[in-house]
Amino acid sequence: MVSAEPTVRLTGAPRSAAQTRVLDAALELISAHGVSGTSLQMIADAVGVTKAAVYHQFKTKDEIVIALTERELDRLADALEAAEAEEDRVRAREVLLTCVVDLAIERRGAVSTLQFDPVIVRLLAEHKPFEQFISRLYGALLGDGTGAAARVEAAMLSGVISTAVMHPLVADIDDDELREHVLRYMRRLVDLPE
Amino acid sequence: MVSAEPTVRLTGAPRSAAQTRVLDAALELISAHGVSGTSLQMIADAVGVTKAAVYHQFKTKDEIVIALTERELDRLADALEAAEAEEDRVRAREVLLTCVVDLAIERRGAVSTLQFDPVIVRLLAEHKPFEQFISRLYGALLGDGTGAAARVEAAMLSGVISTAVMHPLVADIDDDELREHVLRYMRRLVDLPE
DNA sequence: GTCTATAGAATGATAGAC
DNA sequence: GTCTATCATTCTATAGAC
C-alpha cells in the first residue's frame, strides 16, 4: 500500500517533561539574546539544573535549536494544511494569512528570532524537513504568481506581519487591538475576507 | 553664543583607514553570523591581521559594534534632516520613506542585522545617542498621529521596507526593479508622491 | 600599526557516579 | 534524570617588542 497523504507535521519523537522544560527556557533566552548569544550554561541555569542534565536531554546545542524551531513551525502546520486544501490559490493565501496573524500575535516575543536569527535562517534553508516546510509555506504565500512582483509581495507579507507585531512602537498595544489594526492594514496590501 | 542647530550626525572621531577596514569586515561578518556569532578572531582573519591589531583600533568588541551601527545610522541622517525640515508632518514622512527605501536597497545585506540582531536592538535602546536618533526617526515615521493606529502603521511601514528587501524570495531581483515594487506596495499603505 | 605571547574566563561537550 | 569533575577549544582582552 502506497503511503497516504504526506502529513505536513514536523514533529519527531514526542517530548518528555524534562525536554519541554529545556525547550521553554531555551526559547525565552534565545528570543532575548539570539542563538549564538545563548549558552548551554544559561539554559541550564534557567531550568535550574546543570549543563550535564541538559546534555542528557539533547545531544548538542544544535539539537535544541532544531527541536525548538520544529515546535514553533508545527503551530503553522494546521494553517498551512487548511490553505493547501483550498482550490483557489488566492483564497488559500487569505486563509493562511489570517491564521498567521493570530499566531504571530500569540508568539510576539519569539517571532523575530525565528525569522531573523542568522543561525535559524541557515537552519531553515539547510535542514531538509524545514526547507520543505518553508517552501510549501512560500508556495501558499505566493498566491497565483511566481514572477518578481509576486515574490516581492510574498516576501513583504511574510515580514510585515512579524515586524508589525514585535516593533517597539506597538509593545504596549494589547493583543486584540493589535490584531484588528494589523488585519486592517493587511487588507490594504491584499484582499482578505470580512 | 548659544550652540547652533543641533546636528543629527552621530559620528564621533573620523575613522582612520585601518579602522575603516575593520568596520567593513565586521559589518560583513556580522551580517552573516550576527553580533554574538562573530568573534574578533574572525574579524582579524578577514582583515588579514592579528587580534591584537584589531584591539589597537577599538578597545572592545562593543566599540566595534557601536562604530559600525553609528556609520550605518549616519546614512539616514540626511534623510531625517530633510524630513524634519518639512512643515507638514505627512509630507515629512513621505520624504523620509522614499529615502529609506533607497538606503535599504543599497544595504540589502545588512538591513536585517541592524534591525533585528538582539545585541544591536539593545544598543539602539540603551546607547543614548542612538536612542535619541531612533526616537527622532520614529517621530518622522509616525506622521501626524501617535495613537495605536498610527504606531501600528509606522511599525508596518518600517517592516515592509526591511523585509521586502532582504527576503530570500527577492534575492535575485535587481535593485531598480525591487525599488519599484517596494514603492508600489508602500503606496497601498500610505500616500507617496508620484 | 602590527606582531608574539599569554592571562583568565567561558564555551560546547563527555565520563562516570548516584 | 541529575550530579561532579574534567577536557579541549575558543573567547575577550592585555603586555610588551618591533
Side-chain angles (χ1 to χ4, degrees), chain B:
Chain B
M1 191 197 291
V2 186
S3 74
E5 275 285 287
T7 175
V8 172
R9 286 259 129 47
L10 290 156
T11 314
R15 302 295 173 191
S16 70
Q19 284 179 320
T20 303
R21 281 195 300 274
V22 170
L23 293 182
D24 289 344
L27 180 61
E28 200 179 317
L29 286 165
I30 288 176
S31 296
H33 307 107
V35 174
S36 298
T38 303
S39 69
L40 267 110
Q41 185 67 76
M42 293 164 76
I43 296 172
D45 289 348
V47 178
V49 296
T50 62
K51 269 190 297 180
V54 175
Y55 272 109
H56 179 73
Q57 307 298 337
F58 298 93
K59 279 201 285 286
T60 62
K61 184 182 173 182
D62 252 48
E63 256 188 41
I64 297 178
V65 178
I66 290 177
L68 139 186
T69 308
E70 204 169 64
R71 206 175 56 158
E72 294 302 312
L73 287 185
D74 246 356
R75 303 169 70 99
L76 282 172
D78 287 330
L80 182 53
E81 264 172 27
E84 287 177 339
E86 290 285 338
E87 268 178 50
D88 180 31
R89 307 252 304 163
V90 175
R91 171 87 192 115
R93 182 170 69 174
E94 291 170 7
V95 169
L96 181 66
L97 285 175
T98 30
C99 289
V100 169
V101 170
D102 286 337
L103 279 173
I105 289 179
E106 205 181 312
R107 307 299 266 184
R108 275 206 229 192
V111 177
S112 123
T113 304
L114 296 165
Q115 266 211 314
F116 306 117
D117 186 286
V119 175
I120 296 187
V121 167
R122 194 155 304 170
L123 210 58
L124 254 25
E126 288 171 8
H127 185 69
K128 278 286 143 53
F130 290 166
E131 197 238 300
Q132 274 178 30
F133 186 85
I134 293 292
S135 71
R136 282 203 196 187
L137 209 56
Y138 288 167
L141 201 58
L142 277 171
D144 49 9
T146 54
R151 297 207 307 282
V152 175
E153 187 177 85
M156 299 227 10
L157 284 170
S158 99
V160 176
I161 299 173
S162 40
T163 328
V165 140
M166 70 191 206
H167 201 283
L169 280 173
V170 306
D172 64 342
I173 301 175
D174 69 69
D175 289 2
D176 290 339
E177 190 180 356
L178 183 56
R179 182 175 184 282
E180 288 315 305
H181 286 300
V182 173
L183 283 173
R184 187 158 43 82
Y185 286 111
M186 302 232 342
R187 286 197 193 92
R188 295 194 192 171
L189 289 173
V190 292
D191 281 328
L192 279 186
E194 164 200 12

Side-chain angles (χ1 to χ4, degrees), chain A residues 22 40-41 43-57:
Chain A
V22 169
L40 268 112
Q41 186 64 233
I43 296 172
D45 289 349
V47 177
V49 296
T50 61
K51 268 191 297 178
V54 175
Y55 273 109
H56 179 73
Q57 308 298 338

Side-chain angles (χ1 to χ4, degrees), chain A residues 25-138:
Chain A
L27 180 61
E28 199 179 317
L29 285 165
I30 288 176
S31 296
H33 307 107
V35 174
S36 299
T38 303
S39 69
L40 268 112
Q41 186 64 233
M42 292 165 76
I43 296 172
D45 289 349
V47 177
V49 296
T50 61
K51 268 191 297 178
V54 175
Y55 273 109
H56 179 73
Q57 308 298 338
F58 298 94
K59 279 200 286 286
T60 62
K61 184 182 173 183
D62 252 48
E63 255 188 40
I64 296 178
V65 178
I66 290 177
L68 140 184
T69 307
E70 204 170 63
R71 207 175 56 158
E72 295 302 311
L73 286 185
D74 248 356
R75 304 169 70 100
L76 280 173
D78 287 330
L80 181 53
E81 263 171 27
E84 286 177 340
E86 289 287 337
E87 269 178 49
D88 181 33
R89 307 253 301 163
V90 175
R91 171 84 192 119
R93 183 172 69 175
E94 290 171 8
V95 170
L96 181 65
L97 286 176
T98 30
C99 290
V100 168
V101 171
D102 285 336
L103 279 173
I105 288 179
E106 205 181 312
R107 306 299 266 183
R108 274 207 229 191
V111 181
S112 120
T113 304
L114 296 164
Q115 267 212 314
F116 306 117
D117 186 286
V119 175
I120 296 186
V121 167
R122 195 155 302 171
L123 210 59
L124 255 24
E126 288 170 8
H127 185 69
K128 277 288 143 54
F130 291 167
E131 196 238 300
Q132 273 177 31
F133 185 86
I134 293 292
S135 72
R136 280 203 199 186
L137 210 56
Y138 287 168

Side-chain angles (χ1 to χ4, degrees), chain A residues 5 7 10 16 19 35 61 64 79 91 106 110 125 130 166 175 177 179 181:
Chain A
E5 273 285 288
T7 174
L10 290 157
S16 70
Q19 285 178 320
V35 174
K61 184 182 173 183
I64 296 178
R91 171 84 192 119
E106 205 181 312
F130 291 167
M166 71 190 207
D175 289 3
E177 191 182 354
R179 183 176 185 281
H181 285 300

